[in-house]
Amino acid sequence: MRNLAVIPARSGSKGLKNKNIRMFAGKPLMAYTIESAINSNQFECVHVSTDSLKYADIARQYGADVPFLRSEKLSTDEAGTWDTVRFVINEYLRLGNEFDTVTVLQPTSPLRTYGDIIAAFHIFEKKEAEAVVSVCETEYSPLLCNVLPENGSLNNFVDLNIVGRRQQSQQFYRINGAIYIQRIDLLMRKGKLYGEKSFAYIMAKRSSIDIDDDYDFTIAELLLLKRLNMSGRTE
């Protein structure tokens, strides 16, 4: 089975400017995802999908394959990730490279390790799955969440009877955005990513930060530096 990794890293970012190449514990942010993908030894090709020549050059420095750039149409805020991935697959087909699976690895999840990728693929193979998506435990129960009216009233905000019965007996999970593995035939026919043959890979919460703003960036960097110090590494 030939596996393709796609790391989406367009240059435009409203929340945190140039976050995909911002220096993070001594390296550009996306370098950690490139290196984890390569070190997992699961992929025939690790591709960074970007609209920027600068980003492409940085990606190549860390071992990624970037033989083409993303189209202008797929570089807007409205462009969908999976449309971008289909574009990548078709471009590789045009170059004579065909794959069986594609894995999307967001560069904003730098605490995901190569071990996480290997473990997710183990589930994919053991379950004979069409897709595997990473999740983690929720920080709090969604039963305590609701929308607020304009006046900020908490009337009927939560049903305390339901919360009392279910809080202690159920663990809730959320999609953490770190790993999406799926068969290419599922993607191209636009089948259900979350169907009967889709399974979860449970990641640790401490590895599941998805960087969107400065706060996320700071917390993730501190956690990574702590991890590196505990392992005795200096870089």
Side-chain angles (χ1 to χ4, degrees):
M1 184 171 289
R2 288 176 53 80
N3 304 321
L4 168 67
V6 176
I7 301 171
R10 70 183 182 92
S11 57
S13 175
K14 289 183 177 179
L16 194 59
K17 187 176 180 180
N18 286 321
K19 65 181 175 183
N20 290 319
I21 60 169
R22 183 171 174 175
M23 294 306 290
F24 180 83
K27 296 178 185 178
L29 181 64
M30 67 178 175
Y32 292 90
T33 295
I34 295 169
E35 292 177 340
S36 291
I38 292 171
N39 291 335
S40 74
N41 293 314
Q42 299 298 307
F43 304 106
E44 278 67 34
C45 177
V46 175
H47 173 76
V48 168
S49 173
T50 183
D51 58 329
S52 164
L53 288 171
K54 180 180 179 179
Y55 279 36
D57 287 341
I58 293 172
R60 293 186 190 107
Q61 289 174 27
Y62 288 92
D65 186 52
V66 195
F68 50 83
L69 296 181
R70 190 185 298 195
S71 70
E72 183 177 347
K73 180 181 178 181
L74 294 172
S75 301
T76 65
D77 291 334
E78 293 74 30
T81 297
W82 296 115
D83 288 334
T84 298
V85 175
R86 291 185 188 95
F87 167 80
V88 169
I89 291 166
N90 285 327
E91 285 298 293
Y92 272 110
L93 277 174
R94 188 176 59 82
L95 295 174
N97 294 317
E98 188 171 0
F99 300 95
D100 301 296
T101 76
V102 62
T103 301
V104 171
L105 302 170
Q106 301 281 2
T108 49
S109 298
L111 300 181
R112 171 224 309 104
T113 67
Y114 69 85
D116 288 315
I117 297 171
I118 293 170
F121 264 98
H122 178 72
I123 292 172
F124 186 82
E125 293 162 2
K126 183 179 179 181
K127 300 280 191 180
E128 297 182 349
E130 289 190 337
V132 167
V133 177
S134 60
V135 302
C136 67
E137 294 182 1
T138 55
E139 290 79 3
Y140 43 80
S141 171
L143 297 175
L144 297 174
C145 301
N146 208 333
V147 297
L148 280 172
E150 289 186 8
N151 67 358
S153 172
L154 287 175
N155 184 39
N156 295 322
F157 186 81
V158 295
D159 187 329
L160 293 178
N161 292 321
I162 294 177
V163 171
R165 288 197 306 269
R166 298 180 66 185
Q167 275 282 88
Q168 297 178 356
S169 63
Q170 284 188 306
Q171 176 61 58
F172 290 91
Y173 297 87
R174 65 173 177 85
I175 294 167
N176 68 359
I179 303 171
Y180 299 85
I181 305 170
Q182 66 175 305
R183 295 186 180 277
I184 284 178
D185 61 350
L186 174 70
L187 173 67
M188 302 310 274
R189 72 172 187 265
K190 299 185 179 181
K192 291 183 179 180
L193 179 59
Y194 305 104
E196 291 183 3
K197 294 291 288 181
S198 300
F199 298 91
Y201 166 61
I202 302 174
M203 276 177 61
K205 284 197 293 184
R206 64 181 177 273
S207 300
S208 297
I209 294 180
D210 182 13
I211 295 175
D212 187 53
D213 55 27
D214 271 310
Y215 176 81
D216 299 333
F217 193 97
T218 300
I219 297 300
E221 191 170 39
L222 288 172
L223 287 172
L224 178 63
L225 290 171
K226 181 179 179 180
R227 179 192 291 175
L228 295 177
N229 288 336
M230 289 178 65
S231 67
R233 293 173 55 188
T234 58
E235 59 179 16

